[in-house]
Amino acid sequence: MVLPPFALHRPTTTAQALSLLAEDSVPYSGGTELLLAMRMGLIRPTALVDLKRIPEMQEIRTDRSRLLIGAGVSHDRLATDPLVEQHARLLAAAEREVGNARVRAQGSIGGNICFGEPRSDVATVLIALEAELGLANSAGERSVPAEEFFLGPYWTARDATELLTAISIPLPCAEGVYLKFQTVERPTVAVAAVRRPGGDYRVVVGAVGEVPVWADYPGVGEVDPVDLVGRTSPVSDLTGSERYKRHVTEVYIRRAAELLAESER
Amino acid sequence: MTAAQPATGHDHVVVAADVNGVSVTEPVPTRWTLAQFLRDRLGLTGTKVSCELQVCGACSVLVDGAPVSACTYLAADIDGRRVQTVEGLAARDQLHPLQRSFVEHFALQCGFCTPGFLMMAKALLDRNPDPTEDEVKEYLDGNICRCTGYEPIVAAVLDAAKRMRGQA
Amino acid sequence: MSVERRRVAGQAVQRRDLFEKVTGAATYTVDVTPPGCLHAKVVRSSRAHARILGIETSAALAVPGVIAVVTASDLAALFPRFGHIIPDHAILAMEKVRYYGEPVALVVAENIVAASDGAEAVQVRYEDLPAAMDAEAALAPDAPILHDDDYGASGDESFSEMAATPGLPDHGDSPPRTNVAHTVDLSWGDVDAALAQAHIVVENRVHYPMLYAYAMEPYNAVASFTEDSLHVVSSAQHPFMVRTDLARIFSLPLSRVRVQVPYLGGGYGSKSYTKIEPLAAVGAWVVRQPVKLVLDVEEAIYTTRADSAAITVRSGFDAEGRILARAFDIVLDSGAYADNSPLVLAKAVNRCFGPYRVPNLRVRGRSVYTNTSPASSYRGFGAPQGALAGETNLDRAAAQLGIDPVEIRRRNLVPPGGEILPGKRGIDADLPADLELVAESLQRDARTVPGHGIGVACTASDAGAYPISTAIVRVQTDGSVTVLSGSTEMGQGSRSVLAQLVAEELGVPIEAVDVVQSDTAMSSYERTTGASRTTTLVGLAVQRACADARAKLTEMAAEIEQCPPESLAQGDGVLESADGRKLAFGDIISRWFGGDAGEVTGVGTLRRDGRTQKMPPFWEVGMVGVEVGIDPETGVVRVDQLVTVADVGFAFNPKAVEGQDLGAATQGLGGALFEELVYDGPQLVNPNMVEYRVPRMTDLADKIESIVVERGDGVGPYGAKGGGEGALNPMGAAVANAVAMATGKWPSRLPLTPERVWRLVNDLPEVDAE
């Protein structure tokens, strides 16, 4: 199968990149989502704006009380980077399980988020870690909490002329478990259960519905799987009917909460 | 080679890359995948294409040492980089230990998935020279073989790792 | 009973083709691009069943680089269809399309990018017709009829011989057309009377999924015309069968059609018979330049899949669990064109009741046209479908009677030499002994914990296809040997096995033997590569060719030595004269011809006579056991133990036999646990390898044991018989039986996905009411 035609831009600064973005001139990094969608004819941009030559998009650093991750950083780097392992172990753990080794080497965290694929491992974890997503356009910058970024399947808070520049995770970082039920390439249900720095708990349920849902609890014993499942909107597909997905989600929320409780003992 | 659409100034790019130790400088259409470039332009047909969705691993090659799916990777992106394909594994008449081990363990039958498995196994052993059996399975889980049932592939990779450690 | 170890045959020699394959040097069809080659892309139907009102090609022809757009109207001078049993398959859809994905036009261009852009620009106008998307709908009284013509269908003699009682549908003079493509019935004894007297009667109904073989190399072909000869390089298992179809299309003598097959990137039956060769060939015929056609995986799925099946089985048993009678009703969903489904049906009928003493039998089989991707051969060939019905039925009976599943099989399996099909070859295997091997291995490591279960299943397949084979060995002046065979190397290792055989027979080093295969112009004739026949049947032909070469060498040596031929003794690569001199084969040839040149050609042929008179040529054993563990909360099935018996008579290359066996078992596990093509409306929901999930490395069972059994009881060289499908055939049934033991509930449908198992455990319906 061949790709449709497109022009390729290779800016070296964020400002250059921003000047090139338009409705049909789209950001491009690893291509693991974009190129597939183009080949299947789902989208047909006239131009790709390659972000891989912008140095700051590739940075991982800490800045005062935050871990800053450039949007172009690959899954594999996040899975193995010492800074990430030190400050955001849960993210590193989830990144180790994204796709397969090639997707991890090729794909970027920013691309994963901005594509708005509902079955994203990363989205679930970033909400658990209360990450902030830095968006820039030619007029300026804004920061959107991960909780507010995912609006629907393949639909995020990013405007077509905006660029996701960095992911910012507050430190100290929440710690916990990431558990997923997966039978094909992407998770059917993903659950992140964490103890937040303030001492309370958050459980995020991703992949199973159109967007992740979450709830906060004062104690891990108070996690209510049935209530949380009620907030999801599972869609029947080949990996399971709505009924089955609700059931498995409940099982996985319970298992994640148990694992978290166990890890604290 | 002409693209189907009129040129817009960016629909071709020139790539300068090191492919299996050979310097290559070629203009390529932006819409070409690395698999197309390797197979159709450079004649390196060892890299096979199958699922075209990054799940089967048949087209795995290494770019700057990292494994990628050549079916879903723009040829334009190898510019300035080093590409390794199955054709570059053996040193002249000396098979790479992985290649030798695959033959000895019958870790292939039809062979269509094999170039991809070899390149992925190389990527694994380059970063982890002494993997456990589970680590091999986890890392190669993104490569499909329809002939062997996988057991001999796991054995071949572990055996090659042992040999390579012995050499080092 | 054991077999004799030999010098080369029976040794785990390294397969020489593997060296080429690990370096990337091995050539597959997709790697073949002749000079001046054009590239083609198929325009495919976007409807399941529709009349074609018009095909607009001007926009496509305007795409730079596009040379031609071929449609059915361009083929008026040709025989525009193919199909070896029923020639129903239009090369390009004529008047109407019968399934989503059917080829409607072929765009030929200077490069693949232009061909693809051109294909996108072709506009086809349709008028939708009512569609029959599954067998039930196709059999309904008011079903839309797919085919209005019977195409003069006639199975040839070999087809008739492979089906116990074949029956192409006889519609009489004024045909009331139905969607039944083919029927096969088989019966003996008085089933109704036996069932009436049975201690228990056990009935169940099963559904076997629609599968995709996923040979990792999809279908590819390169065609060119030179003068009035056609040359096709193709990913075909049976080049000689493809040649016949192509010769009919272009009205060419067989000798002017050359079909050449390089390495195949997997076949598993899915590359049997003609697929896309006619498309590439009509492209080349129109433009008079070489044309290459490469399919992607989605197109491959819409080219051939395996028949899904709905089977009802009813069996009567006495109080000790002995089978008194069995009745089966088999309906195969064969898709829009017959391809090889009539034979798949015949085999499902022959194989469904198992290798048991069945005193009374009645099987009714129907292969049904539906508006879906055409179904055809796939490894196992009707056996997995039938076994799911028959073998789960047996376990149900065992449970009702309080008999162990292994024990009920012990009481019913045919003994060595026993008859399975009346008048056919008796079983050339010791099935009871094979069963004990599986049972012992499973028991040794069994875990008796809740959520775990063991399942066994057995099959015996009338394999080998029809015994027509030829082989040529050419002995060179240096004593090396070139072997010509029309059998295709598709990963199974035939190139290596045939070299071993020749090295053994002629007593030459294996390094001195080269095997050239699958070229209708250059190799010898071979009917097919399938049904596990190569080692056995091609092996016999090659063995005879070696004997012929030795006989000729003996004559020549007698002439130059001026001695009686009987005085020369046969040795390894030599003849020995009465006075003890060793006459090397090469020297004999050089001396006989003079001038240090020449060669000796040995010819071997095989047909239905002598030891291969009785059909089938051999029975292929499928004897497997699994232990599974089930997560009761999610329904996930994990395979703890996988035990298979490769009962191959004589293992030419034990490691290769194990590899084939484990590969077959793993494909079987795919159909048991993961794989299923799913239609929703006119098209498939999952025509891709993301959503069509096949076994992966982390699915590997904790314990894998492939027991190679050699009793020298096959008809082939040194007592060999076929292998490589056996372990797939009963695998679905074995997994279903294991899940039944683990859950206490009887599955009726594969694959056993987590949700299906969860529903089973919780007594929930297969699907929720809307």
Side-chain angles (χ1 to χ4, degrees), chain A residues 26-45:
Chain A
V26 304
Y28 160 69
S29 185
T32 57
E33 310 268 15
L34 180 66
L35 297 181
L36 290 185
M38 286 169 64
R39 188 155 52 199
M40 287 190 281
L42 301 176
I43 41 177
R44 197 154 182 162

Side-chain angles (χ1 to χ4, degrees), chain A residues 3 6 10 28 39 100 102, chain B residues 30-31 52 71 76-77 142:
Chain A
L3 287 166
F6 55 85
R10 289 166 159 172
Y28 160 69
R39 188 155 52 199
N100 58 44
R102 293 178 305 279
Chain B
T30 54
R31 66 195 288 199
E52 298 186 86
C71 74
D77 280 348

Side-chain angles (χ1 to χ4, degrees), chain C residues 388 392 453-457 624-628 630 637 639 641-642 665 668-673 730-742 747 750-752 757:
Chain C
L388 178 64
T392 57
I454 280 178
V456 296
V624 302
V626 292
E627 180 177 0
V628 301
I630 289 169
V637 177
V639 181
Q641 291 197 65
L642 170 64
L669 286 174
L673 294 172
M731 190 57 74
V735 171
N737 285 339
V739 167
M741 184 178 276
L750 299 182
L752 286 162
V757 173

